[in-house]
Coordinates of all heavy atoms in Angstrom, one line a residue:
C14 N 116.4 136.5 55.3 CA 116.2 136.6 56.8 C 116.9 135.5 57.5 O 117.4 134.6 56.8 CB 114.8 136.8 57.2 SG 113.8 135.3 56.7
G15 N 116.8 135.4 58.8 CA 117.4 134.3 59.5 C 116.4 133.8 60.6 O 115.6 134.6 61.1
K16 N 116.7 132.7 61.1 CA 115.8 132.1 62.2 C 116.2 132.7 63.5 O 115.3 133.1 64.3 CB 116.1 130.6 62.3 CG 115.3 129.9 63.3 CD 115.5 128.5 63.4 CE 114.7 127.8 64.5 NZ 114.9 126.4 64.6
A17 N 117.4 133.0 63.7 CA 117.8 133.6 65.0 C 117.5 135.1 65.0 O 117.9 135.8 64.1 CB 119.3 133.5 65.3
K18 N 116.7 135.5 66.0 CA 116.2 136.9 66.1 C 116.2 137.4 67.5 O 116.2 136.7 68.5 CB 114.8 137.0 65.6 CG 114.6 136.6 64.2 CD 113.1 136.5 63.9 CE 112.7 135.9 62.6 NZ 113.0 134.4 62.6
K19 N 116.3 138.8 67.6 CA 116.1 139.4 68.9 C 114.7 139.1 69.3 O 113.8 138.8 68.5 CB 116.4 140.9 68.8 CG 117.8 141.2 68.6 CD 118.1 142.7 68.4 CE 119.6 142.9 68.2 NZ 119.9 144.3 68.0
R20 N 114.4 139.3 70.6 CA 113.1 139.0 71.1 C 112.2 140.2 71.3 O 111.2 140.2 71.9 CB 113.2 138.3 72.4 CG 113.8 136.9 72.3 CD 113.9 136.2 73.5 NE 114.6 134.9 73.3 CZ 114.7 134.0 74.2 NH1 114.1 134.1 75.4 NH2 115.4 132.9 73.9
Y21 N 112.6 141.3 70.6 CA 111.8 142.6 70.8 C 111.7 143.3 69.4 O 112.6 143.1 68.6 CB 112.4 143.4 71.9 CG 113.9 143.7 71.7 CD1 114.4 144.8 70.9 CD2 114.9 142.9 72.3 CE1 115.7 145.0 70.7 CE2 116.2 143.1 72.1 CZ 116.6 144.2 71.4 OH 118.0 144.4 71.2
R22 N 110.8 144.2 69.4 CA 110.6 145.0 68.2 C 111.8 145.9 67.9 O 112.3 146.5 68.8 CB 109.3 145.8 68.4 CG 108.9 146.7 67.4 CD 107.7 147.5 67.9 NE 107.4 148.7 67.2 CZ 106.6 148.7 66.1 NH1 105.8 147.7 65.8 NH2 106.4 149.8 65.4
C23 N 112.3 145.9 66.7 CA 113.4 146.7 66.3 C 113.5 146.9 64.8 O 112.7 146.2 64.1 CB 114.7 146.2 66.9 SG 115.2 144.5 66.3
P24 N 114.4 147.7 64.3 CA 114.6 147.7 62.8 C 114.9 146.3 62.3 O 115.7 145.6 62.9 CB 115.7 148.7 62.6 CG 115.7 149.6 63.9 CD 115.3 148.6 65.0
A25 N 114.4 146.0 61.1 CA 114.7 144.7 60.5 C 116.1 144.4 60.3 O 116.5 143.2 60.5 CB 113.9 144.6 59.2
G26 N 116.9 145.4 60.0 CA 118.3 145.2 59.9 C 119.0 144.8 61.1 O 120.2 144.2 61.0
D27 N 118.5 145.0 62.2 CA 119.0 144.6 63.6 C 118.3 143.4 64.1 O 118.8 142.9 65.1 CB 118.8 145.8 64.6 CG 119.6 147.1 64.1 OD1 120.7 146.9 63.5 OD2 119.2 148.2 64.4
L28 N 117.2 143.0 63.6 CA 116.4 142.0 64.2 C 117.1 140.6 64.1 O 117.1 139.8 65.1 CB 115.0 141.9 63.5 CG 114.1 140.7 64.0 CD1 113.7 141.1 65.4 CD2 112.9 140.7 63.1
Y29 N 117.7 140.3 63.0 CA 118.3 139.0 62.7 C 119.7 138.9 63.3 O 120.5 139.8 63.0 CB 118.3 138.6 61.2 CG 116.9 138.9 60.6 CD1 116.5 140.0 60.0 CD2 115.9 137.9 60.8 CE1 115.3 140.2 59.5 CE2 114.6 138.1 60.2 CZ 114.3 139.2 59.6 OH 113.1 139.4 59.1
T30 N 120.0 137.8 64.1 CA 121.2 137.8 64.8 C 122.2 136.7 64.5 O 123.2 136.6 65.0 CB 120.9 137.7 66.3 OG1 120.2 136.5 66.6 CG2 120.1 138.9 66.8
G31 N 121.8 135.8 63.5 CA 122.6 134.7 63.1 C 123.9 135.2 62.4 O 124.0 136.2 61.9
S32 N 125.0 134.3 62.5 CA 126.2 134.7 62.0 C 126.2 134.9 60.5 O 126.9 135.8 59.9 CB 127.3 133.6 62.3 OG 126.9 132.3 61.8
L33 N 125.4 134.1 59.7 CA 125.3 134.3 58.3 C 124.6 135.6 58.0 O 125.1 136.3 57.1 CB 124.6 133.1 57.7 CG 124.6 133.0 56.2 CD1 126.0 132.9 55.6 CD2 123.8 131.8 55.7
F34 N 123.6 135.9 58.7 CA 122.9 137.2 58.4 C 123.9 138.4 58.7 O 123.9 139.4 57.9 CB 121.6 137.4 59.2 CG 120.9 138.7 58.8 CD1 120.1 138.8 57.7 CD2 121.2 139.8 59.6 CE1 119.5 140.0 57.4 CE2 120.6 141.0 59.3 CZ 119.7 141.1 58.2
R35 N 124.6 138.3 59.8 CA 125.4 139.4 60.2 C 126.6 139.6 59.1 O 126.9 140.7 58.8 CB 126.0 139.1 61.6 CG 125.1 139.4 62.7 CD 125.7 139.4 64.1 NE 126.8 138.5 64.3 CZ 126.7 137.3 64.8 NH1 125.6 136.8 65.2 NH2 127.8 136.5 64.9
A36 N 127.1 138.5 58.6 CA 128.1 138.5 57.6 C 127.5 139.1 56.3 O 128.2 140.0 55.7 CB 128.7 137.1 57.3
A37 N 126.3 138.7 56.0 CA 125.7 139.3 54.8 C 125.4 140.8 54.9 O 125.6 141.5 54.0 CB 124.4 138.5 54.5
R38 N 125.0 141.2 56.1 CA 124.7 142.6 56.4 C 126.0 143.4 56.2 O 126.1 144.5 55.6 CB 124.1 142.8 57.7 CG 123.8 144.3 58.0 CD 123.3 144.5 59.4 NE 123.3 145.9 59.6 CZ 122.6 146.5 60.6 NH1 121.9 145.8 61.3 NH2 122.7 147.9 60.7
E39 N 127.1 142.9 56.9 CA 128.4 143.6 56.8 C 128.8 143.8 55.3 O 129.3 144.8 55.0 CB 129.4 142.9 57.6 CG 129.2 143.0 59.1 CD 130.2 142.1 59.9 OE1 131.2 141.6 59.3 OE2 130.0 141.9 61.1
Y40 N 128.7 142.7 54.5 CA 129.0 142.8 53.2 C 128.2 143.8 52.4 O 128.7 144.7 51.7 CB 128.9 141.4 52.5 CG 129.0 141.4 51.0 CD1 130.3 141.4 50.5 CD2 127.9 141.4 50.2 CE1 130.5 141.4 49.1 CE2 128.1 141.4 48.8 CZ 129.3 141.4 48.3 OH 129.5 141.4 46.9
A41 N 126.8 143.8 52.6 CA 126.0 144.7 52.0 C 126.3 146.1 52.3 O 126.3 147.0 51.4 CB 124.5 144.4 52.3
E42 N 126.5 146.4 53.6 CA 126.8 147.8 54.0 C 128.1 148.2 53.5 O 128.3 149.4 53.1 CB 126.8 147.9 55.5 CG 125.4 147.7 56.1 CD 125.3 147.7 57.6 OE1 126.4 147.3 58.3 OE2 124.3 148.1 58.2
A43 N 129.1 147.3 53.4 CA 130.5 147.7 52.8 C 130.4 148.0 51.3 O 131.1 148.8 50.9 CB 131.4 146.5 53.0
Q44 N 129.4 147.4 50.7 CA 129.2 147.7 49.2 C 128.8 149.2 49.0 O 128.9 149.8 48.0 CB 128.2 146.7 48.6 CG 128.8 145.3 48.4 CD 129.8 145.3 47.3 OE1 129.8 146.0 46.4 NE2 130.7 144.4 47.5
G45 N 128.0 149.6 50.1 CA 127.6 151.0 50.0 C 126.3 151.4 49.3 O 125.9 152.5 49.1
G46 N 125.7 150.4 48.7 CA 124.4 150.6 47.9 C 123.2 150.2 48.7 O 123.2 150.0 49.9
L47 N 122.1 150.2 48.0 CA 120.8 149.7 48.6 C 120.9 148.2 48.9 O 121.4 147.4 48.2 CB 119.7 149.9 47.5 CG 119.3 151.3 47.1 CD1 118.3 151.2 46.0 CD2 118.8 152.0 48.3

Side-chain angles (χ1 to χ4, degrees):
C14 63
K16 180 179 180 179
K18 299 173 190 71
K19 292 180 179 174
R20 295 181 181 190
Y21 53 87
R22 177 182 166 96
C23 63
D27 297 329
L28 180 66
Y29 308 97
T30 60
S32 58
L33 190 58
F34 181 84
R35 287 192 323 265
R38 178 184 173 163
E39 288 173 11
Y40 173 79
E42 289 175 336
Q44 289 289 331
L47 292 174

